[in-house]
């Protein structure tokens, strides 16, 4: 599917702008599609799909925007792990993807790449490419709901056409100007800089450059792609990202102490209706990391260039 026509929904956002730059750098034809703002009170796949039928005008707008496209990338959504507005999160991260796939089915699109998040699998020991999810926050719930709804749509026997659906699960993506990256750099440069244990645990922290490159690889792959693919590991460990981001060696804390602190944080957050689950999860991943299966990308030898260390060192240098 090389050199085909692409559409990127949400092309001005953090991920969408990076994907658009990568597509143009590789010589692809790409057009931006503005993402409509949606809100939804749906909390189940059944209700979400039922309410999507009332948004025919949005589907028509998207279908018109996709005319002539071979590949559609959905990079839109609300990427705020700490977000608490469930209706807005569901509208952006679950309802919009459903409408995008419905529109793609009407316009001859060959592949839809939906940007999801590894957060849908929660605190699992190993991130993988199965449909198993375990959301732990309003944000991860909305992303998991979106995945489930898309898979339900893609499995229908009465689909008008058959664009291939690929759900790309991004891991902990960092960028030079992203707030989460700035907070990571501040932590790494502070006296609080620390890891659980010896710091050799794998971490899913990765770079926006790797995500953009892998997205284009997935979208342009000439053979079929699994319905769920995971952004490959960039080789970082819990200690290496802190050394790169803060240019100092992290303190090695007892694992038992870190586990107790995280458990206490989740307990207090639970008393506040899970209000701080997203922030606590970031601390947990920073301390403990998270493993992931090699996945389709590694099996196919389609690994993006590892740039997370370079990116974090540049962020540190810019902070001065």
């Amino acid at each position: 599917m090389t050199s085909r026509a692409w559409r990127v929904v949400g092309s001005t956002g953090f991920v969408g702008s990076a994907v658009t730059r990568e597509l143009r750098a590789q010589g692809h034809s790409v057009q931006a599609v503005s993402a409509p703002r949606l809100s939804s009170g749906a909390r189940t796949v059944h209700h979400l799909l039922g309410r999507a039928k009332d948004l025919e005008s949005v589907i028509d707008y998207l279908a018109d925007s996709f005319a002539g496209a071979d590949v559609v990338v959905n990079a839109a959504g609300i990427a705020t792990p700490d977000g608490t507005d469930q209706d807005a999160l569901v509208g952006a991260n679950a309802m919009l993807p459903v409408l995008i796939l419905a529109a793609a089915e009407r316009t001859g699109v060959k592949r839809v790449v939906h940007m999801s998040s590894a957060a849908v699998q929660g605190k699992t020991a190993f991130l993988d490419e199965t449909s198993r999810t375990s959301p732990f926050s309003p944000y991860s719930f909305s992303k998991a709901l979106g995945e489930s709804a898309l898979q339900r749509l893609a499995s229908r026997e009465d689909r008008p056409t058959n664009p291939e659906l690929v759900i790309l699960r991004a891991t902990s993506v960092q960028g030079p100007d992203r707030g989460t990256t700035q907070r990571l750099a501040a932590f790494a440069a502070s006296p609080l800089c620390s890891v659980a244990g010896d710091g050799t645990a794998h971490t899913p922290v990765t770079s926006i450059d790797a995500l953009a490159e892998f997205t284009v690889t997935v979208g342009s792959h000439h053979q079929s792609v699994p319905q769920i693919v995971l952004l490959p590991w960039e080789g970082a460990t819990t200690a290496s990202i802190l050394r790169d981001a803060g240019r100092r060696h992290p303190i090695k804390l007892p694992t038992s102490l870190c586990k107790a602190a995280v458990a206490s944080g989740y307990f207090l957050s639970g008393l506040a209706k899970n209000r701080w689950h997203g922030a606590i999860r970031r601390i947990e991943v920073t301390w403990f990391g998270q493993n992931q299966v090699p996945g389709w990308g590694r099996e196919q030898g389609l690994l993006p260039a590892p740039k997370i260390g370079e990116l974090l060192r540049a962020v540190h240098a810019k902070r001065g």
Side-chain angles (χ1 to χ4, degrees), residues 128-263:
D128 61 28
E129 297 174 331
T130 68
S131 59
R132 174 183 53 83
T133 62
S134 182
F136 60 92
S137 65
Y139 167 75
S140 59
F141 170 81
S142 69
K143 298 298 282 189
L145 180 62
E147 284 196 9
S148 297
L150 286 173
Q151 291 175 82
R152 178 81 61 84
L153 273 182
S155 67
R156 294 192 341 265
E157 295 181 357
D158 62 341
R159 296 180 75 190
T161 60
N162 194 32
E164 184 178 46
L165 169 67
V166 181
I167 296 170
L168 199 171
R169 286 179 180 160
T171 52
S172 181
V173 182
Q174 307 299 317
D177 301 315
R178 197 175 195 197
T180 54
T181 306
Q182 296 298 323
R183 288 190 288 271
L184 173 63
F187 173 76
S190 76
L192 298 176
C193 176
S194 54
V195 294
D198 61 9
T200 60
H202 291 191
T203 179
V205 172
T206 189
S207 65
I208 185 60
D209 301 298
L211 176 58
E213 181 184 338
F214 192 62
T215 301
V216 177
T217 296
V218 167
S220 59
H221 192 60
H222 62 282
Q223 297 178 336
S224 63
V225 179
Q227 192 170 83
I228 299 175
V229 294
L230 182 64
L231 180 62
W233 180 53
E234 274 198 69
T237 65
T238 52
S240 74
I241 62 163
L242 294 177
R243 286 196 299 268
D244 286 330
R247 310 310 289 162
R248 62 188 297 163
H249 291 287
I251 300 169
K252 297 177 180 179
L253 299 175
T255 299
S256 58
L257 175 64
C258 294
K259 286 183 177 179
V262 169

Side-chain angles (χ1 to χ4, degrees), residues 59-112:
I59 297 176
D60 285 341
Y61 155 74
L62 292 169
D64 289 343
S65 301
F66 298 163
D70 297 294
V71 184
V72 169
V73 176
N74 175 30
I78 298 178
T80 52
D82 299 335
T84 58
D85 186 342
Q86 191 72 82
D87 285 2
L89 287 165
V90 169
N93 297 337
M95 181 64 80
L96 178 59
V98 164
L99 303 182
I100 287 171
L101 183 58
E105 291 179 338
R106 301 181 183 183
T107 50
V109 171
K110 295 176 175 61
R111 180 171 292 161
V112 174

